[in-house]
């Protein structure tokens, strides 16, 4: 008897398209909601929040002197051993002390962006920045040197983040880059 009831129920569900109607009650309202699709990377780009942990930057002070003193604490703190620091005497006055990171290198293939290196840095020379487009055609490109990381961040610190801006895709033999136009900001919600 109960088997017959089950068969009848399934039959009626099929006849009256109950499953279809249940599905549509969930999906149909989205037809009228605001689209959140991002036209990335050709036209738009998301700017991460200030607390985002992306590509590392090595910073300078207001006088343009390198803050890194080559203490190697970041190298020691890194759980995946992807930072290499070779300290050296600062004969040129580039740094804030008589010792600088003569060679400073990071292997991004091993980095898990935990931020422990940033926490260990006593001079705030090392920060995890907001660059996240790190794709490249060569694995060697994933090793970034001090000279590259000392370049100014493409996203200034005063930009709060969490916004969408216009962007332009640029690709060369090193990899891809999505160049933002920070003058046009909008929120997608
Ligand atoms: S973010 Fe973490 S894994 Fe990456 S270099 Fe720093 S300490 Fe190492
Ligand atoms: S980045 Fe900071 S922790 Fe690393 S060597 Fe330089 S000063 Fe030391």
């Amino acid at each position: 008897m109960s088997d017959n009831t089950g068969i009848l129920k399934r039959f009626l569900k099929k006849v009256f398209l109950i499953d279809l109607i249940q599905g549509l009650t969930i999906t149909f309202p989205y037809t009228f909601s605001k689209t959140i699709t991002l036209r990335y990377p050709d036209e738009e780009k998301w700017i991460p929040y200030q607390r985002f942990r992306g590509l590392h930057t090595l910073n300078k002070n207001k006088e343009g002197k390198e803050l890194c003193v080559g203490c190697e604490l970041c190298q020691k703190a890194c759980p995946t051993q992807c930072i290499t620091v070779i300290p050296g005497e600062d004969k040129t006055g580039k740094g804030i002390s008589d010792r600088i990171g003569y060679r400073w290198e990071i292997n991004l293939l091993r980095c898990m962006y935990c931020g422990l290196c940033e926490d260990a840095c006593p001079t705030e020379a090392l920060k995890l920045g907001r660059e996240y487009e790190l794709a490249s055609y060569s694995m060697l490109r994933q090793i970034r040197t001090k000279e590259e990381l000392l370049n100014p961040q493409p996203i200034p610190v005063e930009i709060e983040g969490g916004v969408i801006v216009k962007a332009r895709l640029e690709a060369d033999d090193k990899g891809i880059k999505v160049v933002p136009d920070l003058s046009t900001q909008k929120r997608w919600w």
Side-chain angles (χ1 to χ4, degrees):
M1 185 70 180
S2 61
D3 274 359
N4 287 341
T5 315
I7 290 168
L8 181 65
K9 269 187 182 171
R10 284 199 294 279
F11 175 73
L12 289 173
K13 266 179 107 176
K14 279 192 180 164
V15 168
F16 292 107
L17 304 173
I18 299 299
D19 290 339
L20 177 68
I21 291 165
Q22 278 178 341
L24 281 174
T25 56
I26 296 168
T27 55
F28 190 66
Y30 284 99
T31 312
F32 306 103
S33 64
K34 194 177 166 188
T35 177
I36 56 166
T37 310
L38 189 62
R39 286 169 291 173
Y40 177 85
D42 307 87
E43 295 178 37
E44 289 176 315
K45 169 176 178 161
W46 179 69
I47 303 295
Y49 292 98
Q50 286 164 335
R51 63 177 182 271
F52 187 82
R53 294 202 294 235
L55 179 65
H56 306 61
T57 59
L58 284 170
N59 299 305
K60 295 179 181 173
N61 67 7
K62 282 184 188 149
E63 287 79 46
K65 297 208 173 216
E66 291 176 23
L67 289 168
C68 178
V69 293
C71 66
E72 302 169 69
L73 285 176
C74 52
Q75 178 179 268
K76 289 192 172 71
C78 177
T80 60
Q81 297 171 349
C82 53
I83 296 176
T84 305
V85 182
I86 298 177
E89 196 183 338
D90 183 15
K91 293 181 184 148
T92 53
K94 282 193 294 188
I96 55 168
S97 82
D98 53 5
R99 176 182 155 132
I100 54 165
Y102 172 70
R103 188 173 147 211
W104 201 107
E105 234 173 56
I106 181 165
N107 183 346
L108 297 175
L109 293 171
R110 286 171 29 193
C111 179
M112 55 184 184
Y113 301 92
C114 63
L116 289 176
C117 51
E118 178 180 328
D119 291 345
C121 182
T123 60
E124 299 194 351
L126 180 58
K127 295 260 177 228
L128 268 68
R130 289 193 273 179
E131 193 173 335
Y132 57 88
E133 283 129 354
L134 304 173
S136 66
Y137 299 114
S138 157
M139 294 215 336
L140 283 177
R141 177 75 192 130
Q142 295 300 319
I143 296 173
R144 300 291 170 98
T145 61
K146 171 179 149 177
E147 286 66 34
E148 289 174 273
L149 301 180
L150 272 172
N151 281 329
Q153 294 185 34
I155 305 165
V157 282
E158 52 277 7
I159 303 265
E160 198 190 317
V163 290
I164 307 298
V165 296
K166 281 189 183 166
R168 186 180 75 253
L169 176 67
E170 281 183 6
D172 58 22
D173 51 354
K174 286 183 181 167
I176 64 156
K177 207 166 214 161
V178 186
V179 184
D181 172 4
L182 297 168
S183 61
T184 56
Q185 298 178 21
K186 68 169 183 187
R187 302 214 168 252
W188 69 5
W189 58 88

